[in-house]
Amino acid sequence: MSEIVSLFGVTKIFKDFWGKPKVKAVDNLDLQINEGEIFGLLGPNGSGKTTTLKLILGLLYPTRGRISVFNRPPGDNLIKRLIGYLPEEDYLYPYLTAREIMDFYGRIFNLSTRVRKERADYLLQLLGIKGYENRPIGEYSKGMARRIGLAQALINDPQLLILDEPTSGMDPIGAREVKDLLLELKKKGKTILISSHLLADIEDICDRIGILYEGKLIATGEVKKLLSPFKGESNRLEKFFLQVVGKAKEEKGEREKKVAPKKKEKKEVKIIEEGPDMELLKKLTKK
Amino acid sequence: MFHRILAITRKTFFYYFLSPAYGIIIFLLLLLPFWCLRLEGDGTALGKFKIYSTYTFLLATIILVGTNIFTSCTVLTRDWRRKSIFLLDVKPVKRWEILAGKWLGIIFLNITFLAILFFSIYLSSKFLSRYYLPELRGEKNVFLTYQKILPSSRKSLPSSEVHSLLPGVEKERPAEERKASYSVLPGAHVTWLFQGIAPTETTLILNYKFFTAKKEETKVIGFWIIGDPSTKNLFRYQSEVKAGETHKIRIPPWTLNDKGELWVTYFNIDPLERSVVFPKEEITLLAPWGNYWLNLIFGEFLLLLIISFVVFLGITLTTMTSTITGIIGTLVFTSISFARDILGAFVHFFVETTGKKTAGVSIYAHFTNGLLTLLKHLLPPLGECLSHNYVGNGIVPPLLLLGKLFVEVFLLKGLGVFLIGVLYFTRRELGIPNE
């Protein structure tokens, strides 16, 4: 299986107005996503999942490292034709209706009027929006807006589907339908990259997962292998996730502890500096 | 490439066009020419047209520039704030195509605004021409405006010339002269000379009204010879009309001589031998003054040039900064660009015309000229594009000037500014909010 997405030593540091480093969102990340698989990107809030997706999409540029998508740099127009993206929030135009959204993105992909209409009809039907398609997006519930977001991501029949929290805000039936749809797409050979907090969804559909913590990839591998120690238990991925993240937190705590004494040493030095002997030393050096 | 740009253009256009705020702009543009009809001119039709068109275009410029500063500064940042630009940027669209699509969307919106303004001007002009020039009722081209010309002098032709021109008139009597009117005895003739007529390809109109001694119902027969007698370009016309009513004769333009003069001779050939009297104010020539339609087209073209630059500037500034900074920046640069001409005129008047060489003036002149030179290189001459310069006086601006302004405002300065924005925008990260 060929690699569709590859990240080698990717680091992303956000800088402030003056160019000083503010946050290290992604830290030396190595990640490969293979053709035809569903890859789940997990991690607690602020772990760098969305930043990683934006780096893959070319919306952000890496500070260090190399990214390739379909063996080309991200942001290349040739590969954008092969990608469908569902962002974490509703980034759709609130004043357009579902049908207008589908028509607009269809035009961007230069689909003919007939194909645009056919695909829009099919996807709106598939995602349960048919009958509501002439209402402005701003009037939809979050779950419905997510469905339209997913429909627009599929308008170009993409080879690589990047989904940020695809089932968030959806009712259980809607979430199940989306998961079934993703499995169906996988069968058709599509590659899917999902970022989600909903571990049960990931466990259900993903072939491989990667867990990010503070921008670092702390665990990656096939779901079956990673969860094998928890065989027969319920909520296996949740247990694995908590174990891995808990361990990373502990390591972080230890690192911080190691750093903390240094501060104390500094304080001790200060005390010495403020002592009478130092005053004498300063006077002597001045002379 | 074009389908992507057009998709963005289409979306941008309809978003603004269907929004209620822009409905108000459309309403204002529809109302504006009718409001300008209320303005008083110098009492002549020409003056009325001048002041009407000048104010219509000036106010339309203010409305449209203001609207476009706001539109161009929000068209990109609104998408960015809403993060819908992320979704667009991951589609196979180049960044410059996003900007070009948005620019085109606003320009099409403005073309629609200008078409609405044109329609409104058309209707109001039709009303104006009826109101001020009732004699032009039925005129197909309401945009063709006329100026009234009174005869500059009245002359009698030598009888030999008259006989050669008018076979059949055997006796000739000297014309009676009165101060307030032109009297023509039976068998006599009178000649008027109209001067200062611009060469034209359009029909001239002679309006006249005469009276007879008695109020009679029968028609009076007269014969007109129009054209310079020294040439052979003469237009002959026999009239059989009632006295006391205004009549008009359509005169072919070839009757004008090279000096822009028109000779009009009336022969009283009434078989009932009645004398006719033409009151002085009642014989006028309506000479085409200008093609108002063409003036409007060019005026709107110049307005579109101003708008294009404003939109280029607004979009460019907001690729780099926020909406508020963009609005302030665009407003400042546009104002300076307009003020440049006013500053230039100011300097010219105080320094070159008055020739005052006081220290203050010298410093001011030195400073202002330096500033002007800098501004000249940075900003386009938007003041020169103010259409009232051309629309008002009825002269279509020379094509050379239109070309020069197009190159300077659109190609050199507008596109130049836009390219900076495009270069910056294609290199910046879009994954983070800009404000």
Side-chain angles (χ1 to χ4, degrees), chain B residues 340-355:
Chain B
R340 199 183 74 172
D341 300 319
I342 300 164
L343 267 174
F346 187 77
V347 170
H348 179 78
F349 179 75
F350 277 99
V351 180
E352 292 179 25
T353 311
T354 61

Side-chain angles (χ1 to χ4, degrees), chain A residues 110-127:
Chain A
N110 200 19
L111 303 178
S112 67
T113 312
R114 188 181 58 81
V115 174
R116 272 204 313 270
K117 194 179 177 308
E118 274 175 13
R119 284 206 191 158
D121 283 340
Y122 170 71
L123 290 167
L124 293 174
Q125 181 76 51
L126 190 71
L127 289 156

Side-chain angles (χ1 to χ4, degrees), chain A residues 85-287:
Chain A
Y85 172 53
L86 169 71
E88 64 175 331
E89 291 165 43
D90 300 319
Y91 294 166
L92 303 167
Y93 300 99
Y95 51 87
L96 295 183
T97 64
R99 190 162 283 283
E100 285 168 344
I101 286 273
M102 301 299 281
D103 186 65
F104 172 62
Y105 290 115
R107 281 173 193 271
I108 294 283
F109 283 103
N110 200 19
L111 303 178
S112 67
T113 312
R114 188 181 58 81
V115 174
R116 272 204 313 270
K117 194 179 177 308
E118 274 175 13
R119 284 206 191 158
D121 283 340
Y122 170 71
L123 290 167
L124 293 174
Q125 181 76 51
L126 190 71
L127 289 156
I129 310 156
K130 199 83 175 166
Y132 311 100
E133 73 264 37
N134 293 321
R135 277 168 58 190
I137 303 289
E139 292 178 12
Y140 283 105
S141 67
K142 195 188 173 189
M144 287 296 273
R146 299 296 292 162
R147 288 165 194 246
I148 297 159
L150 190 56
Q152 66 76 30
L154 294 168
I155 189 80
N156 57 323
D157 191 21
Q159 290 303 307
L160 171 64
L161 197 56
I162 298 176
L163 310 171
D164 204 350
E165 308 281 355
T167 54
S168 89
M170 279 191 192
D171 58 64
I173 300 166
R176 185 68 257 170
E177 282 171 356
V178 168
K179 283 189 278 185
D180 289 344
L181 173 68
L182 296 180
L183 289 169
E184 193 65 33
L185 290 168
K186 191 204 159 199
K187 276 183 197 168
K188 287 181 183 172
K190 313 286 183 193
T191 309
I192 302 166
L193 170 59
I194 302 175
S195 154
S196 181
H197 290 295
L198 300 171
L199 303 177
D201 292 354
I202 296 284
E203 191 180 342
D204 280 355
I205 57 170
C206 286
D207 301 312
R208 287 199 309 135
I209 55 164
I211 298 176
L212 283 174
Y213 181 74
E214 297 208 326
K216 286 183 178 168
L217 192 67
I218 53 172
T220 185
E222 284 182 28
V223 178
K224 280 178 190 171
K225 280 184 187 172
L226 291 173
L227 303 185
S228 57
F230 305 94
K231 208 171 181 180
E233 294 178 35
S234 59
N235 300 330
R236 293 183 307 160
L237 184 57
E238 189 181 332
K239 283 173 184 163
F240 175 73
F241 180 81
L242 290 172
Q243 190 185 64
V244 172
V245 173
K247 197 178 167 188
K249 270 186 184 173
E250 272 175 27
E251 281 174 7
K252 188 195 168 193
E254 279 172 23
R255 276 202 307 274
E256 280 173 356
K257 274 180 193 171
K258 281 178 190 172
V259 176
K262 282 182 185 172
K263 284 182 184 172
K264 278 184 182 175
E265 279 169 19
K266 271 189 180 175
K267 276 183 184 172
E268 282 168 18
V269 171
K270 266 190 178 176
I271 291 162
I272 294 165
E273 278 178 349
E274 285 164 7
D277 291 344
M278 284 307 294
E279 286 293 315
L280 184 66
L281 191 65
K282 277 178 188 171
K283 279 178 189 174
L284 287 169
T285 47
K286 271 184 187 175
K287 279 179 185 178

Side-chain angles (χ1 to χ4, degrees), chain B residues 43-46 48-49 125-140 142 144 146 148 205 207 209 246-248 250 282 284 286:
Chain B
T44 64
L46 189 68
K48 181 76 181 178
F49 264 111
S125 296
K126 205 159 184 173
F127 174 74
L128 186 64
S129 63
R130 277 180 170 231
Y131 180 63
Y132 267 85
L133 296 170
E135 59 272 24
L136 287 179
R137 274 177 201 167
E139 186 69 31
K140 281 179 187 171
V142 292
L144 195 68
Y146 291 83
K148 273 183 184 173
I205 298 167
N207 283 305
K209 189 179 186 179
T246 301
H247 308 285
K248 62 180 160 188
R250 292 186 174 273
E282 299 293 346
T284 52
L286 292 175

